[in-house]
Amino acid sequence: MSTELNQYRQFMKPAEIHKAVNSLIGIIEGIKLDLTVNSAEMDEVINWCNLQRPFQKRFPFSEILLVIDAALEDDFLSKDEIEDILWLCKSSINNTDEFNIYYDVTTSSIQQLHGIIHGIMADNTLKDLEIQALMEWLKEREFLKGTYPFDEIHALLTSTLEDGVITEDEKNLLRGFFGNFIDTRS
């Protein structure tokens, strides 16, 4: 990283850490929506880890990266390992006053939604189960109404699910929107 970027980042550390952890929570939640973890989805977790490696000596990355690295040693993420990672991430951000100063539940939820979409799209497939589970996640967070991209995703999913049949055209529309919302380069 450039010196200029490092100087800038020193002022953003708490915000960046919170966003990164919320993003990982979302990625893991998105990956587990279809009840299977494939290699492309594990690559998404590995990519997240690689982006955080420069901060591996700093809490909470020092603990999170250690747990993820151990979980990935066998090239498989079990349900228990996924739940352990989620628990660690959630406790890292929920039990730190520094994080609570910078973020509220809306910001955290939108960051997690971003991560969920990354997790869902990691394998470039969109399954009916993932669409239905994402809609359930949104229904549990109605307080996000009026926040981008909640309303847009909610409207697309409502339209997709209203007739009880999810067509390939509807999946393509969702994939297109998700592709515009997430940065697939990171």
Side-chain angles (χ1 to χ4, degrees):
M1 283 187 246
S2 72
T3 305
E4 196 173 288
L5 180 59
N6 282 333
Q7 288 172 344
Y8 173 74
R9 289 184 95 175
Q10 75 182 349
F11 299 107
M12 297 298 292
K13 284 182 182 174
E16 285 181 339
I17 291 169
H18 197 271
K19 183 178 180 182
V21 173
N22 272 321
S23 179
L24 178 62
I25 291 169
I27 290 168
I28 300 292
E29 292 284 358
I31 286 170
K32 77 176 203 170
L33 287 181
D34 66 359
L35 309 176
T36 61
V37 180
N38 61 40
S39 62
E41 292 168 332
M42 286 188 3
D43 286 346
E44 187 70 23
V45 174
I46 291 167
N47 181 56
W48 181 92
C49 290
N50 290 338
L51 290 171
Q52 310 318 316
R53 292 270 178 227
F55 312 106
Q56 67 187 3
K57 293 184 180 178
R58 181 166 184 200
F59 177 83
F61 301 115
S62 55
E63 294 180 18
I64 294 171
L65 290 171
L66 191 65
V67 169
I68 293 173
D69 288 343
L72 292 173
E73 279 181 355
D74 61 358
D75 293 322
F76 178 76
L77 279 176
S78 71
K79 182 180 177 192
D80 288 340
E81 289 168 331
I82 287 171
E83 294 305 322
D84 288 347
I85 293 166
L86 285 172
W87 178 87
L88 179 58
C89 289
K90 289 175 182 177
S91 23
S92 294
I93 60 173
N94 291 335
N95 296 329
T96 306
D97 290 337
E98 184 179 75
F99 292 137
N100 296 330
I101 292 169
Y102 292 97
Y103 285 91
D104 61 17
V105 69
T106 301
T107 303
S108 293
S109 296
I110 291 298
Q111 290 171 343
Q112 289 172 18
L113 176 58
H114 182 271
I116 288 170
I117 293 171
H118 261 281
I120 289 172
M121 297 306 298
D123 61 2
N124 205 26
T125 62
L126 192 54
K127 298 177 183 171
D128 292 6
L129 182 59
E130 291 170 318
I131 294 168
Q132 294 160 348
L134 179 57
M135 185 60 154
E136 288 304 311
W137 188 92
L138 294 174
K139 285 180 181 176
E140 293 170 5
R141 288 153 185 88
E142 293 281 323
F143 62 87
L144 292 173
K145 280 187 178 178
T147 307
Y148 179 82
F150 177 89
D151 293 337
E152 291 78 359
I153 295 172
H154 191 273
L156 284 170
L157 293 178
T158 299
S159 173
T160 299
L161 295 169
E162 72 184 343
D163 64 359
V165 177
I166 303 172
T167 68
E168 202 55 42
D169 285 343
E170 290 169 324
K171 287 180 182 180
N172 287 335
L173 179 66
L174 288 168
R175 271 194 289 272
F177 180 76
F178 293 163
N180 288 325
F181 173 58
I182 62 170
D183 180 6
T184 56
R185 295 169 295 155
S186 62

